Amino acid sequence: MNSKEIENYLDFLFVNPRCELNYTKDYELLIAVVLSAQTTDKRVNMVTSILFDKYNTLEKLRDADIEDIINIIRPIGTFNKKSIFVKKIASFLLDNCDGKVPNDESILIKIPGVGRKTSNVVRSNLFNYPAIAVDTHVNRVSKRLNIANEKDDVLIVEKKLMKYFPKKSWSKLHHQMVLFGRYYCTSNKPKCEECKLNNICKYYIKNIKK
Ligand code: SF4
């Protein structure tokens, strides 16, 4: 099976893949992605609907009482660290970027809480920048499908994915692989019997087929 067949299958499963984080402003996406570390998009959407409603500008987020932010985002965990990030992101964008999220990784990764994965997700969604952000789902799926090796770190996985798939598909594939990992190729009990990729899947051949 080549990359095109994998793409075709993911196109079949996810016709119009999109980010499942809710946002209406550029900075809301950036903050939502930072908040999504080690939790689910569903939980993030629950807290951001309250947070972004109550503090509906960057200035209000920057000036918000941190205890109030903590109380709002408590359900997503690591709320002390994340509440600091929320205020620092708002300050950084106001002080350095005219209140706009920049389409520039070298600036984005200077923002507290933002690394390459977040930068890729944000640039891909806001600016249609071709990127494959490697989160836990993309990482797992890539390794099971033998596109990357078990020991590869996320940067190596990203490079291998960019080599394996055509550039024009990167952003769409990122969303599709996230959704595939979230709903089909789950960490526990993946839906292998119905998966059309099981003939090339290391996990299936090792754990299920035998
Ligand atoms: S066969 Fe199972 S583990 Fe392999 S890609 Fe499909 S769902 Fe994932």
Side-chain angles (χ1 to χ4, degrees):
M1 186 174 283
N2 58 31
S3 63
K4 189 68 201 154
E5 288 170 281
I6 296 176
E7 272 194 76
N8 288 344
Y9 183 53
L10 293 175
D11 282 344
F12 165 75
L13 291 178
F14 309 106
V15 180
N16 285 311
R18 60 173 288 276
C19 176
E20 293 191 322
L21 291 167
N22 296 336
Y23 64 97
T24 56
K25 298 170 185 163
D26 58 354
Y27 69 80
E28 289 184 353
L29 174 66
L30 177 58
I31 290 172
V33 176
V34 169
L35 294 181
S36 71
Q38 278 133 32
T39 188
T40 63
D41 288 1
K42 205 170 164 187
R43 279 181 173 270
V44 172
N45 289 337
M46 277 166 46
V47 302
T48 53
S49 71
I50 301 166
L51 182 71
F52 296 151
D53 191 45
K54 184 165 185 181
Y55 300 102
N56 60 0
T57 65
L58 277 174
E59 288 80 1
K60 287 179 188 172
L61 283 166
R62 177 195 59 195
D63 299 337
D65 176 5
I66 195 150
E67 290 301 322
D68 193 40
I69 297 184
I70 287 173
N71 282 334
I72 293 170
I73 69 169
R74 191 175 294 276
I76 61 173
T78 55
F79 40 81
N80 286 320
K81 190 171 71 177
K82 287 176 177 175
S83 60
I84 293 169
F85 287 154
V86 169
K87 285 176 68 69
K88 287 196 170 175
I89 290 169
S91 292
F92 187 98
L93 292 178
L94 287 167
D95 293 346
N96 302 287
C97 309
D98 292 327
K100 297 265 178 255
V101 175
N103 182 13
D104 185 334
E105 184 185 74
S106 68
I107 300 174
L108 280 165
I109 59 173
K110 287 185 185 146
I111 302 176
V114 178
R116 183 171 172 85
K117 186 205 80 176
T118 298
S119 168
N120 278 345
V121 172
V122 167
R123 294 177 75 201
S124 159
N125 279 283
L126 295 180
F127 306 109
N128 215 15
Y129 174 80
I132 305 185
V134 179
D135 72 348
T136 183
H137 301 297
V138 177
N139 190 43
R140 180 175 64 255
V141 170
S142 304
K143 290 176 179 176
R144 285 178 173 175
L145 290 177
N146 217 6
I147 299 168
N149 296 322
E150 214 51 54
K151 287 184 179 161
D152 290 342
D153 63 28
V154 288
L155 189 57
I156 302 273
V157 173
E158 183 186 329
K159 285 184 177 161
K160 287 186 174 177
L161 285 166
M162 290 193 295
K163 201 170 168 196
Y164 191 74
F165 292 109
K167 193 171 183 176
K168 65 179 169 49
S169 305
W170 291 351
S171 288
K172 183 181 64 170
L173 272 164
H174 157 72
H175 291 306
Q176 290 172 322
M177 289 178 83
V178 169
L179 296 171
F180 184 59
R182 193 173 284 161
Y183 300 114
Y184 292 82
C185 190
T186 47
S187 178
N188 296 315
K189 297 186 184 168
K191 297 175 179 168
C192 298
E193 294 303 340
E194 65 184 80
C195 176
K196 298 282 186 289
L197 303 177
N198 61 18
N199 56 331
I200 57 153
C201 176
K202 265 194 316 196
Y203 178 93
Y204 179 78
I205 291 164
K206 188 175 168 201
N207 300 294
I208 314 280
K209 197 176 178 185
K210 68 177 184 182

